[in-house]
Each structure stands twice: as structure tokens, then as C-alpha cells.
Amino acid sequence: MKNRIEVRDGLIMREIEVHEYKTIHKLVTKNKAYLSEFLPWAAFDTEPEDYIETLEEWKKGNGETGMMTLGVYHDNHLVGLCGFNTINRMNRSTEIGYWLAESHTGKGIMTDCVTKLVEYGYNILGLNRIAIIVDVENVSSIKIPERLGFVREVRMKDYFYRNERFYDGYLYRMTKLEWEALKK
């Protein structure tokens, strides 16, 4: 299967197949309250079939390298998503997005996934700059780029809209040279 990344024993990232539409629906529905605190799309009521078109779009986007959306599978169970929201091939840059089921937080899963995704971006896709943008109030999400040594570049005013108001976002960045220096 293309776009499969082995993260660690029992943890992989791979494309979500269209036939898994009921699985992703169930995961989002089960975590609706938790996810919708910072991801407004999670609060919408959906039917399992609503995910078919989304999964088809992700698969098409993954194939065109304009984006890369991967499911996070822990012990063969889908527990979240991690990927490149957009890949700017001209500038060799991208932005990472991620979310994880509440039951799997605090175990280093997303930190390990983001680490492997960054390595994939630099070593396989030939990227030079990777960014992560997080809501300034999302303390758990902020810990990931900070733990990995990303540089907080700027606070972006009114970047996120949720709960009928705007929230600032932090933009973190890592260049390939910075990443390589951290790994020495």
C-alpha cells in the first residue's frame, strides 16, 4: 500500500481506504465532544456515508501529492489522523495537521507520528520547510511541536474561528537543516 509509514511497533500511518467510512464516522462520533473543542467540523452531525466522498478526495489528493492524509492505526485500530494539509512543491514546504481520539492521548502516539511524518517529508518528498499551526488555547497540541524542537515563529491574530468567535494561532516551523541539527 502506498503512503504507509511504520511509526513503531503496533503503530502505523496509512491511507484510509474508502470502505473504512463507517470506521472513521464511528471514531469521530465517539469523540465528538472532545474533538469539537478545537475542531469545529467535528460538531456537525453526519451519517457514515458522508465520509465516502471525503475519503475519495483524500485518496485522490494523496495520489497527486497536493496533500497527504493518513489514518493513525494503533494495534490495527484507527485512532486519529495525521498528514500534510497542503504540499507546496514549488517552495518545498507543507503544513502538518493532526488529531487523535481522546482515549489514545498522553501515550506519545501523535508525537511519534509527527516525527515520522517530518522525516518522510524531508527524506522522501524532498521538502525544506514544515509548519504546524495550533490554536493558542490548545495546550495539548502545542506540546507536540515544542517537544520536537519546532520554532514558534509568530502568533497569528484571529486565525481560528470556533464557538462563534475568533482565536489566535501559533505558527511553528522546522527547516530541514534545523531538523538535521537536532538529530545530531
Side-chain angles (χ1 to χ4, degrees), residues 40-117:
W41 58 262
F44 294 113
D45 290 325
T46 60
E47 296 299 322
E49 294 75 19
D50 295 337
Y51 282 91
I52 293 173
E53 185 177 338
T54 300
L55 292 171
E56 288 172 344
E57 288 175 15
W58 289 348
K59 194 163 192 69
K60 181 181 178 196
N62 288 348
E64 294 173 351
T65 68
M67 59 178 274
M68 191 167 92
T69 304
L70 302 176
V72 175
Y73 292 82
H74 185 253
D75 295 331
N76 295 318
H77 292 64
L78 181 65
V79 297
L81 294 180
C82 185
F84 299 130
N85 294 337
T86 57
I87 301 172
N88 183 325
R89 302 300 267 170
M90 175 83 62
N91 292 315
R92 295 173 44 200
S93 63
T94 191
E95 179 186 311
I96 292 177
Y98 50 82
W99 62 264
L100 195 61
E102 185 175 20
S103 61
H104 285 75
T105 61
K107 301 176 182 181
I109 290 173
M110 196 52 71
T111 299
D112 290 349
C113 286
V114 170
T115 299
K116 289 294 185 179
L117 194 63

Side-chain angles (χ1 to χ4, degrees), residues 5-8 11 13 72 79 81-82 96-100 104-119 132 139-150 179 183:
I5 301 172
E6 301 288 333
V7 179
R8 59 174 150 103
L11 184 61
M13 291 185 292
V72 175
V79 297
L81 294 180
C82 185
I96 292 177
Y98 50 82
W99 62 264
L100 195 61
H104 285 75
T105 61
K107 301 176 182 181
I109 290 173
M110 196 52 71
T111 299
D112 290 349
C113 286
V114 170
T115 299
K116 289 294 185 179
L117 194 63
V118 168
E119 291 172 355
I132 298 175
V139 176
S140 296
S141 192
I142 287 169
K143 289 178 182 177
I144 293 169
E146 290 186 352
R147 190 178 297 127
L148 295 176
F150 275 68
W179 183 256
K183 298 302 163 194

Side-chain angles (χ1 to χ4, degrees), residues 16-31:
I16 303 172
E17 298 296 329
V18 176
H19 68 82
E20 296 177 275
Y21 69 94
K22 290 180 183 175
T23 304
I24 191 166
H25 176 266
K26 183 177 177 182
L27 182 67
V28 171
T29 301
K30 183 178 180 181
N31 288 276

Side-chain angles (χ1 to χ4, degrees), residues 138-184:
N138 192 340
V139 176
S140 296
S141 192
I142 287 169
K143 289 178 182 177
I144 293 169
E146 290 186 352
R147 190 178 297 127
L148 295 176
F150 275 68
V151 175
R152 185 186 300 173
E153 211 168 63
V154 68
R155 181 178 180 133
M156 299 180 299
K157 182 75 175 158
D158 294 343
Y159 190 81
F160 294 101
Y161 184 76
R162 60 180 165 82
N163 304 324
E164 299 187 26
R165 64 179 280 240
F166 290 98
Y167 294 83
D168 293 355
Y170 289 134
L171 183 141
Y172 289 87
R173 69 113 209 292
M174 179 71 67
T175 65
K176 185 175 183 180
L177 286 175
E178 291 168 332
W179 183 256
E180 290 171 349
L182 284 173
K183 298 302 163 194
K184 288 184 181 179

